[in-house]
Every structure is written in C-alpha cells, then in structure tokens.
C-alpha cells in the first residue's frame, strides 16, 4: 500500500534503522523508543493487524514472525534479562499504524499490567 508508512519502510522508500530483515519480514528501531531496546517487526506483505493474519498462511506467518522476533531479541542480547513482545490491535489496543507489527521491548524492567 503506497500510503502505508510501514510498507514504505519495507520497500526502502522511507529510511529506518534496520536491525535485521529477510524476504518476508523487517525488524527496525522504533522512532519513539519506550525502552532502551524497542524494535518493530513487520511483514513485508501488508496486513492491517493480527486480526487479518487468518487461515493457514496467516497463522504460519504469525509463527514465523514470533520466531524471527525472538531471534532478533537474542541477537540484541536480551535473552538473559528478558523482554516483551506485544502487538497492539485496533482502537482499544492502542494501535496507531495499521500495518501488522510486533513491538520488541527490553533493556529495562517492564511493568504489568500495562496502562
Ligand atoms: P502502535 O501504536 O502499536 O501502532 O505502534 C506504532 C509504532 O510505530 C509506534 O511505537 C511509533 O513510534 C512507531 N513509528 C511510527 N512511525 C515510525 C517510523 N517512521 N519509524 C519507526 N517507527 C515508527
């Protein structure tokens, strides 16, 4: 989608601090970090949110995204102290960019419940 900022990042049309990428996913640093490490993981393919990752293909993609995100966490040395992976979904979830993304947060104590 040409008007989607995360599609444009995935296509290299908008600069981002890329941490890792493969043919179907990109990990890049959040522009407004909420923790010392705050990385977003997106699929290259446009999906609005986790709600749209349906069927066999969508569910398999979610599994690969989760595995990819945990590998990124390892590569950023987050394994020992731990981290959080979250996907805000829709209005009540606080989603502000309508392209499926996982937040990877680490590097400080995270609290629960979130606000
Ligand atoms: P959410 O509110 O869960 O939809 O998360 C969207 C995230 O995207 C926010 O944490 C923003 O700071 C982040 N964000 C928005 N635009 C950019 C950008 N151009 N580069 C990196 N992160 C961005």
């Amino acid at each position: 989608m040409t008007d989607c900022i995360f599609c444009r990042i995935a296509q290299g049309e908008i600069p981002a601090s890329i941490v890792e990428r493969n043919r179907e996913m990109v990990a890049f640093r959040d522009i407004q970090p909420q923790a010392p490490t705050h990385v977003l993981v997106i699929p290259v393919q446009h999906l609005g949110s986790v709600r749209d990752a349906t069927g066999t293909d969508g569910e398999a993609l979610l599994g690969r995204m989760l595995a990819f995100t945990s590998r990124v966490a390892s590569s950023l040395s987050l394994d020992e102290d731990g981290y959080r992976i979250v996907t805000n979904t829709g209005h009540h979830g606080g989603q502000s960019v309508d392209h499926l993304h996982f937040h990877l947060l680490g590097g400080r104590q995270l609290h629960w419940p979130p606000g």
Side-chain angles (χ1 to χ4, degrees):
M1 279 174 69
T2 50
D3 59 344
C4 169
I5 191 162
F6 286 179
C7 282
R8 298 188 69 193
I9 286 174
Q11 300 306 328
E13 294 171 9
I14 290 180
S17 176
I18 306 287
V19 175
E20 209 166 313
R21 72 176 300 152
N22 63 26
R23 274 187 308 172
E24 73 175 346
M25 286 164 238
V26 187
F28 58 96
R29 302 222 179 242
D30 197 292
I31 206 166
Q32 283 191 295
Q34 303 300 314
T37 298
H38 187 172
V39 169
L40 301 172
V41 173
I42 62 167
V44 170
Q45 174 197 1
H46 183 85
L47 290 171
S49 76
V50 71
R51 294 174 296 200
D52 301 302
T54 55
T56 310
D57 288 351
E59 291 179 8
L61 174 68
L62 289 178
R64 289 193 298 276
M65 279 182 69
L66 200 48
F68 180 81
T69 306
S70 83
R71 285 199 299 275
V72 170
S74 293
S75 75
L76 295 174
S77 306
L78 295 177
D79 277 337
E80 186 173 341
D81 288 335
Y83 54 85
R84 184 172 296 167
I85 298 169
V86 65
T87 183
N88 298 327
T89 305
H91 179 59
H92 277 186
Q95 184 176 7
S96 63
V97 177
D98 290 330
H99 181 126
L100 171 62
H101 51 282
F102 290 174
H103 295 259
L104 168 62
L105 297 146
R108 68 168 171 83
Q109 181 63 58
L110 299 168
H111 302 288
W112 196 263

